């Protein structure tokens, strides 16, 4: 049996990292056009770099919660295959011991727009940081902005097509292509499960739903599988 799991900001909420669209969420405080688009970066790179410096600093002391640990246990102990895809740019799945495909990148990584090298970002990036490989001052956080193509789409398509069970955890189902994964997996024959605080935008595409805080619901669900 193969389980393909998509996580969103809700899985990290109880680690103290804010979500995007809930009350007080990141996009209620910042204009995403200004800080999370290539156009915003072209207009004011310092503002964008500062935004990710702030988020990187906020995430520095964050610890994985019971949901991250349960998913790591599932990956390690489940008799079938468990593929984890995350929209999150934090590193809490890895801190808990999971391997995850970061489709929206990672704010702990930097990349060069000239030579495409990638490296661990310093805690505070600067607009004129030189690339450690080619020396050009064309560096940016390795995050995927609105209007850009997410990472790992071919691998993800394979994991959706071959899943027996697709599970979405802590995501509102607002941002494509991730929002379309449930329809894709379902169309290829997977059973679908939503685990979220409240029903997402695509609640009717899920066969089953478990509502509640991820730190409680995810460990309980994992216990039923192991
Ligand atoms: N447990 C489970 N779910 C929770 C919890 C919790 N403790 N707290 C919040 N949630 C749910 C919310 O109900 C909501 O459905 O998590 C979801 C968070 O939704 P968003 O804030 O929209 O986050 P996400 O779906 O991950 O956003 C997708 O949008 O801007 C981008 O690139 C960013 O990757 C992000 C993408």
């Amino acid at each position: 049996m193969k389980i393909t799991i998509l996580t969103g900001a809700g899985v990290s909420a109880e680690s103290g990292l804010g979500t995007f669209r809930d009350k007080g969420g990141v996009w209620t405080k910042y204009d995403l056009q200004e800080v999370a688009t290539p156009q915003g970066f072209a207009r004011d790179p310092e503002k964008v770099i500062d935004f990710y410096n702030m988020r990187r600093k906020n995430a520095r002391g964050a610890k994985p919660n019971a949901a991250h640990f349960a998913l790591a246990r599932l990956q390690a102990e489940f008799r079938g295959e468990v593929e984890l895809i995350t929209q999150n740019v934090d590193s809490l799945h890895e801190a808990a011991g999971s391997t995850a495909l970061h489709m929206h990148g990672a704010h702990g990584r930097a990349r060069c727009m000239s030579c495409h090298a990638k490296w661990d970002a310093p805690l505070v990036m600067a607009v004129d940081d030189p690339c450690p490989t080619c020396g050009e001052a064309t560096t940016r956080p390795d995050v995927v902005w609105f209007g850009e193509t997410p990472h790992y789409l071919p691998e993800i398509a394979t994991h959706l097509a071959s899943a027996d069970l697709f599970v979405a955890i802590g995501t509102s189902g607002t941002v494509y292509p991730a929002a379309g994964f449930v329809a894709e997996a379902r169309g290829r024959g997977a059973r679908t499960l939503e685990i979220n605080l409240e029903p997402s935008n695509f609640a009717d595409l899920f066969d089953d739903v478990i509502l509640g805080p991820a730190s409680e619901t995810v460990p309980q669900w994992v216990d039923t599988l192991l």
Side-chain angles (χ1 to χ4, degrees):
M1 176 170 172
K2 173 164 176 169
I3 307 176
T4 299
I5 301 170
L6 171 71
T7 65
V11 82
S12 294
E14 290 162 85
S15 293
L17 303 185
T19 61
F20 293 95
R21 296 171 183 83
D22 294 305
K23 197 161 171 271
V26 175
W27 298 146
T28 67
K29 295 185 235 160
Y30 295 87
D31 180 347
L32 69 85
Q33 298 294 343
E34 285 179 14
V35 297
T37 62
Q39 294 79 3
F41 185 65
R43 270 194 304 270
D44 192 344
E46 204 165 321
K47 185 176 210 166
V48 176
I49 296 274
D50 282 349
F51 172 71
Y52 286 98
N53 284 343
M54 178 271 295
R55 293 188 56 202
R56 198 179 301 110
K57 273 190 182 166
N58 287 348
R60 192 169 43 155
K63 300 264 185 302
N65 65 54
H68 297 104
F69 285 116
L71 292 174
R73 196 157 58 86
L74 185 66
Q75 272 193 317
E77 296 176 18
F78 188 63
R79 282 166 180 272
E81 184 181 344
V82 180
E83 298 295 342
L84 190 55
I85 303 160
T86 187
Q87 300 168 86
N88 299 343
V89 294
D90 65 54
S91 57
L92 294 179
H93 281 307
E94 289 74 17
S98 274
T99 309
L101 291 176
H102 278 263
M103 63 180 291
H104 292 169
H107 60 33
R109 301 277 290 165
R111 74 178 142 102
C112 176
M113 293 176 283
S114 303
C115 75
H116 308 296
K118 292 190 183 192
W119 61 96
D120 285 340
L123 184 59
V124 180
M125 288 182 71
V127 172
D128 53 1
D129 279 346
C131 167
T133 302
C134 73
E136 293 290 328
T138 48
T139 64
R140 58 171 275 185
D142 184 24
V143 294
V144 175
W145 290 322
F146 287 91
E148 297 184 317
T149 305
H151 299 329
Y152 307 113
L153 290 184
E155 291 93 325
I156 290 171
T158 304
H159 295 321
L160 294 174
S162 54
D164 299 296
L165 174 64
F166 171 79
V167 189
I169 305 175
T171 177
S172 62
T174 310
V175 175
Y176 282 87
F181 289 176
V182 58
E184 218 169 309
R186 191 185 167 99
R188 301 295 295 261
R191 197 169 174 82
T192 55
L193 166 66
E194 163 153 75
I195 303 180
N196 209 17
L197 204 51
E198 57 196 29
S200 70
N201 293 339
F202 292 96
D204 52 343
L205 289 180
F206 290 94
D207 299 308
D208 301 298
V209 59
I210 301 172
L211 298 180
S215 69
E216 293 171 19
T217 53
V218 177
Q220 283 162 9
W221 170 67
V222 167
D223 282 345
T224 66
L225 288 174
L226 293 179

